[in-house]
Amino acid sequence: MSRYTPDPALDLVLERTIPVAPDRVWAAWTEPELLMQWFTPAPWKTVAAELDLRPGGRCVTTMESPEGDRYPNAGCYLQVEPNQLLVFTSVMGEDFRPAAPANGAGGLPFTARIEIEPAADGGTRYRAIAMHAEEGACKQHADMGFADGWGAALDQLVALMS
Amino acid sequence: MSRYTPDPALDLVLERTIPVAPDRVWAAWTEPELLMQWFTPAPWKTVAAELDLRPGGRCVTTMESPEGDRYPNAGCYLQVEPNQLLVFTSVMGEDFRPAAPANGAGGLPFTARIEIEPAADGGTRYRAIAMHAEEGACKQHADMGFADGWGAALDQLVALMS
């Protein structure tokens, strides 16, 4: 896995050591039936996941609000290194086609970088980074509750997979 | 190289068999001192090229008008398969970071796919595809002279490398 140094003005970072082995973290991110169980902080749910796991492959997750409204989020995988690194973006769809604003890219364009490294105790040194084009978009994502939301989802991943 | 079927409503395609070997076509696209000699239809010139040739690597080319005005274009490599396939996009910068509109992504967002296949005579079956998010952007790129511009640049590549 290539190294990446976050830019504090443009990136949001969630970093934690978790008691889940790297291959189990990878499975949680890449197998639809697992991802649907942890990906969205309760009481929201993920009710569908299509994951075409290859660079240029499309990923679509559909979230459902407590009221039953559904919100699909489409993106594209960029780097797929099993048990180590998963990079995807909201600004592209299948085969790296730029996403239309209607696809959600206009709302909050970001690239996510999920780093998975073995920890000493058989667990994982986990780092999730959300990269933005501009400081305003980064702040908007922070204000939307990145730390709480991604942290709560990770809690659910740990509860499911450990 | 994975197959790709263009979408006539969203993609522009330049396809031609050229008397240049695949490895020479690859060199023309990936070595700055070569790229600068053919990339921009005369009387415009390419006066600088920084090519970090890896998925997530930044590519910047600077064009100069006959009047001496300079126009940098930044993008990001997505797939790098030597002598076969080069995919890059204007909607991201280094390490797949979404590009700010000021970077040119707001102007004409597209992903380019350069396919290089051996032809029977030692030449290359060359296919360049520009992929867009929406029909409007595709038509805008066509109206800007995609076919003439990319065709004239390819003529220059052939003249340089054959």
Side-chain angles (χ1 to χ4, degrees), chain A residues 2-7 10-11 54-56 78-79 87 89 91-92 94-102 109-111 113 130-134, chain B residues 2-7 10-11 54-56 78-79 87 89 91-92 94-102 109-111 113 130-134:
Chain A
S2 58
R3 305 305 310 171
Y4 175 71
T5 303
D7 180 333
L10 298 175
D11 296 342
R54 61 177 174 92
L78 299 166
Q79 286 189 303
V87 183
T89 188
V91 305
M92 294 179 156
E94 189 165 10
D95 291 318
F96 306 113
R97 181 182 302 286
F110 72 100
T111 292
R113 182 180 168 94
M131 303 168 63
H132 309 86
E134 300 174 305
Chain B
S2 59
R3 303 306 311 171
Y4 175 71
T5 303
D7 180 332
L10 298 176
D11 295 343
R54 62 178 174 89
L78 299 166
Q79 286 189 304
V87 183
T89 188
V91 305
M92 295 180 154
E94 189 166 11
D95 291 317
F96 307 112
R97 180 183 302 285
F110 73 101
T111 291
R113 182 179 168 94
M131 305 169 63
H132 309 87
E134 300 174 304

Side-chain angles (χ1 to χ4, degrees), chain A residues 3 12 44 65 129 140 162:
Chain A
R3 305 305 310 171
L12 300 173
W44 285 61
S65 73
I129 304 166
Q140 181 190 350
S162 63

Side-chain angles (χ1 to χ4, degrees), chain A residues 16-26 83 116-126 161-162:
Chain A
R16 206 191 292 175
T17 298
I18 56 175
V20 181
D23 64 328
R24 298 281 288 161
V25 176
W26 184 259
N83 307 332
I116 299 168
E117 288 188 277
D121 57 358
T124 292
R125 185 76 188 157
Y126 179 92
M161 304 301 287
S162 63

Side-chain angles (χ1 to χ4, degrees), chain B residues 19 34 39 69 79 101 120:
Chain B
L34 293 176
F39 193 57
D69 296 320
Q79 286 189 304

